[in-house]
Amino acid sequence: MAKILVVDDEEHIRLLYSEELSEEGYDVITADSGYKLLEKIEKEKPDLVILDIKMVDYNGLDLLQDIRAKFFDLPVILSTAYDTFKEDIKSIAADYYVVKSFDLSELKSKIAMALEAKYSQEE
Amino acid sequence: MSAEIQVDGNQINEAEIVISIPSYDECCDLANTVVKVDRGLNEFFNSRDSVIINCDHTSEDGLREIFLTTETQSPKIYITGNGSGGEGKLLRSCLRKVIELSASKLVIIEPRAANVQPGWILKMIEPLEKNFQFVAPIYVHHKDEDLLNSMVVYPLTRSLYGWRIRRPVGGELGLSKELIERVLEMDIWNGYVNNEGFAVCLSTLAMCFRKPMCQAFINQPRKTVEKGEGEFLTYFNGVVGSVFSLMEPLEKYWKKVKWSRPTAILGIGGEDAEPAEELETDVDMLHEKFLGGFRKYEEFWREVVSQTTYNKVQEIRNLDMNHFNFPAQTWTTILYDFAVAFRGKDDEYREHLLEALLPLFYGKALSYVKRTERMSVQQAEDTIEAECMVFEENKPYLISKWDDD
């Protein structure tokens, strides 16, 4: 069972993602901020991270840079309210991005693709 | 056989950082490149043991003297070959020299880049200090720049090997000692790789080996001397031939890969990016060259690509300039069909195949230029990314054709 870490400062998003992704068979853990995120990743060893770009105290794109520097092949999906972040070159270090929505079909599809890509390279 | 001259007053037995500068007849301003590289080493890595190596392909145009007489603080080593085996063979001599010197970091700087800056040395070496083992640059670029890379090499290497290295064709690259050792173990060298494809070969191997890799953002455009038509044909054949020819020995790596993965991006921040130079693309010339291909290669295309794709190419032929569109799906299947046709053939057939692909490339380039005419660089990049997804989605088609061949 793949373990997914959801990093988002909005509680309802963490709850929504947790419920729906758990139903898909994923083991979901959450974090409400970027605080000590790298330590959490080190400890929990998730297979994939869903990262909110705009949190109150943290910039998701900066966190993405930190994650990539330490865990170069950990899949990261950016979750965002708007897609204007694409103008920032840092965003290309993400596997995929999804615009936040109550319909999680796109997120689920991107999760499957990112995990499939990672596992296919590890074989 | 290669020959070597050392210039530092002392014998160079060891170094931590090696900067390799390959050079050839058409090389631009070697002295300027050497000076900028030396300045970068002194400015940012002053306390390190560094050496600059010139791998000179022909040594018939005075480059040896230029390199040896350019004053530098860093010691220099000049390596030349007997002219056979191409640039790649010499660069392999350089890779072996890096191992011999026990150097942990190598950066290859192409003197074709006329505006190499000392800061580029920092940007390329810094990731190697952070345990990345392969560094490819991302320059500020015009959306129409280097269309061979954007339309062919990037989508193909990305879909084949599963890593989004935006500029696998180099010119500047950074490699760790560990990666160099793996590269030298491989027996994959051929005429294409040796002549124009060494950089794409190194990028490909880094992707296959899954070593930590990243892209370094260089906040300047890379200015190069524009290639003449004959030179572009040689470059096209060398680079595309390298990608196609590597598919055979690296089959076990690319066939298992699904979708693609991003890499880290380093070097962001600091000074504002210098804007790319304006570029005027001659769309009429591209259209003419695309249509000209039908006179010479129409029948050959019919042999290489599927009937559906061939029919689509005929449809595109009849589109006027205002409605010209070369769909990503058609382009993807063309490249995949050509890659399969390349497999196991003799040199003569392969040369003909690559020449026959060129007019189709001009058609695809024209379609992209027209489509992105009013787009920003970011929007054009999104277009390229979307087309890359078509390559990834159609990879099962490639595998099926490859297995049936």
Side-chain angles (χ1 to χ4, degrees):
Chain A
M1 188 195 319
K3 188 191 268 192
I4 295 177
L5 170 60
V6 177
V7 186
D8 202 303
D9 61 356
E10 291 178 84
E11 192 183 5
H12 73 277
I13 293 287
R14 292 198 304 276
L15 278 172
L16 175 70
Y17 285 8
S18 294
E19 262 180 37
E20 290 237 7
L21 297 178
S22 297
E23 276 174 24
E24 293 288 312
Y26 296 115
D27 177 11
V28 183
I29 52 173
T30 61
D32 60 9
S33 81
Y35 180 68
K36 290 193 173 176
L37 183 61
L38 296 185
E39 285 91 329
K40 190 168 180 102
I41 291 171
E42 183 90 73
K43 188 178 159 213
E44 298 285 351
K45 296 188 177 16
D47 297 286
L48 183 144
V49 176
I50 300 171
L51 183 61
D52 182 18
I53 291 187
K54 213 169 178 180
M55 290 179 280
V56 174
D57 296 322
Y58 291 89
N59 178 329
L61 293 178
D62 291 339
L63 289 170
L64 173 63
Q65 290 292 99
D66 297 340
I67 293 172
R68 276 280 164 267
K70 196 161 182 196
F71 309 95
F72 92 101
D73 67 348
L74 175 63
V76 179
I77 295 177
L78 293 176
S79 164
T80 174
Y82 310 98
D83 67 358
T84 47
F85 71 90
K86 284 162 76 187
E87 284 156 20
D88 190 327
I89 190 170
K90 289 175 194 163
S91 67
I92 62 176
D95 287 69
Y96 299 104
Y97 80 91
V98 289
V99 176
K100 285 180 186 177
S101 157
F102 288 106
D103 176 4
L104 298 196
S105 51
E106 195 192 350
L107 175 65
K108 288 173 189 170
S109 153
K110 298 298 185 202
I111 290 171
M113 284 167 72
L115 290 174
E116 199 175 15
K118 182 175 190 285
Y119 297 150
S120 74
Q121 287 176 333
E122 285 172 352
E123 276 170 15
Chain B
M1 286 289 286
S2 62
E4 179 183 319
I5 299 173
Q6 298 197 356
V7 189
D8 74 331
N10 298 305
Q11 189 72 11
I12 308 158
N13 295 317
E14 229 175 57
E16 184 190 344
I17 299 169
V18 172
I19 308 290
S20 167
I21 307 175
S23 59
Y24 359 72
D25 282 340
E26 76 275 19
C27 174
C28 316
D29 191 349
L30 180 61
N32 174 55
T33 305
V34 172
V35 166
K36 295 285 174 55
V37 162
D38 186 53
R39 205 178 292 165
L41 286 171
N42 286 301
E43 200 172 316
F44 304 108
F45 302 97
N46 194 26
S47 58
R48 314 292 186 83
D49 286 333
S50 310
V51 59
I52 303 171
I53 299 181
N54 173 216
C55 304
D56 187 17
H57 182 205
T58 56
S59 190
E60 284 170 1
D61 48 4
L63 292 177
R64 174 178 177 271
E65 284 67 35
I66 291 170
F67 177 71
L68 295 177
T69 56
T70 301
E71 278 190 30
T72 58
Q73 289 185 46
S74 314
K76 291 180 291 186
I77 297 175
Y78 172 83
I79 300 177
T80 187
N82 59 7
S84 66
E87 175 199 351
K89 195 174 170 190
L90 259 179
L91 273 165
R92 288 208 304 284
S93 302
C94 178
L95 297 187
R96 281 190 284 272
K97 190 70 194 172
V98 172
I99 302 298
E100 199 184 308
L101 293 168
S102 303
S104 54
K105 302 163 196 78
L106 165 69
V107 172
I108 300 172
I109 299 283
E110 269 238 15
R112 268 186 202 146
N115 63 325
V116 172
Q117 297 300 318
W120 295 16
I121 302 299
L122 174 66
K123 297 248 183 174
M124 297 301 289
I125 292 178
E126 222 173 20
L128 298 171
E129 308 249 72
K130 293 177 176 166
N131 296 324
F132 284 101
Q133 298 201 27
F134 178 77
V135 188
I138 296 183
Y139 307 95
V140 172
H141 61 276
H142 187 278
K143 60 192 178 185
D144 292 357
E145 200 178 310
D146 208 357
L147 293 177
L148 174 57
N149 181 54
S150 299
M151 299 293 103
V152 181
V153 186
Y154 173 52
L156 268 181
T157 53
R158 169 178 161 155
S159 62
L160 287 171
Y161 302 101
W163 290 98
R164 300 172 199 161
I165 302 279
R166 182 65 181 82
R167 199 185 154 84
V169 290
E172 286 58 64
L173 293 175
L175 291 91
S176 71
K177 184 183 174 203
E178 194 182 327
L179 180 59
I180 293 169
E181 284 169 338
R182 286 290 309 271
V183 167
L184 287 171
E185 284 167 12
M186 301 298 285
D187 183 19
I188 49 166
W189 316 107
N190 58 50
Y192 297 105
V193 171
N194 280 338
N195 286 311
E196 292 284 353
F198 198 72
V200 76
C201 176
L202 291 179
S203 305
T204 299
L205 290 176
M207 292 188 237
C208 288
F209 300 153
R210 287 187 75 240
K211 298 287 182 192
M213 63 191 102
C214 72
Q215 298 178 88
F217 178 64
I218 294 179
N219 56 356
Q220 282 165 323
R222 185 177 192 265
K223 295 173 186 164
T224 52
V225 176
E226 208 171 304
K227 291 180 173 66
E229 193 172 332
E231 203 188 345
F232 181 73
L233 177 64
T234 309
Y235 179 67
F236 181 90
N237 285 8
V239 170
V240 182
S242 293
V243 178
F244 285 170
S245 66
L246 288 170
M247 287 174 69
E248 276 187 77
L250 301 177
E251 184 179 340
K252 71 169 179 175
Y253 293 98
W254 64 261
K255 275 177 80 175
K256 65 176 187 177
V257 171
K258 289 174 186 153
W259 311 112
S260 67
R261 307 289 325 284
T263 73
I265 310 290
L266 274 74
I268 301 166
E271 289 174 19
D272 285 347
E274 187 183 312
E277 283 183 353
E278 277 305 307
L279 193 62
E280 196 89 0
T281 305
D282 187 345
V283 288
D284 292 323
M285 179 274 289
L286 292 174
H287 198 206
E288 206 174 286
K289 287 188 170 178
F290 168 64
L291 293 177
F294 285 87
R295 285 191 291 277
K296 204 169 170 188
Y297 300 112
E298 193 172 359
E299 283 311 305
F300 185 68
W301 289 342
R302 193 197 289 270
E303 289 170 27
V304 175
V305 303
S306 69
Q307 189 61 42
T308 317
T309 305
Y310 179 78
N311 293 344
K312 192 72 200 168
V313 170
Q314 289 291 354
E315 276 177 37
I316 299 168
R317 176 191 201 174
N318 295 321
L319 295 174
D320 63 42
M321 192 63 130
N322 290 333
H323 301 94
F324 194 86
N325 177 35
F326 205 125
Q329 178 71 33
T330 309
W331 181 234
T332 303
T333 47
I334 285 173
L335 281 182
Y336 284 166
D337 287 342
F338 270 71
V340 172
F342 190 92
R343 183 185 185 190
K345 301 296 194 307
D346 62 28
D347 289 347
E348 197 183 336
Y349 181 89
R350 287 176 165 190
E351 283 300 298
H352 185 65
L353 188 80
L354 293 168
E355 282 168 21
L357 180 60
L358 187 59
L360 296 168
F361 162 71
Y362 285 131
K364 179 62 197 174
L366 169 61
S367 170
Y368 164 82
V369 171
K370 296 237 2 124
R371 186 171 170 196
T372 58
E373 208 169 4
R374 296 178 199 282
M375 289 185 185
S376 66
V377 174
Q378 181 53 52
Q379 289 166 329
E381 282 296 305
D382 288 347
T383 303
I384 293 170
E385 290 299 300
E387 299 223 340
C388 285
M389 284 306 295
V390 179
F391 276 75
E392 291 179 17
E393 285 159 4
N394 282 278
K395 193 165 173 184
Y397 169 83
L398 168 67
I399 293 172
S400 143
K401 293 262 300 188
W402 188 271
D403 288 343
D404 289 347
D405 189 46

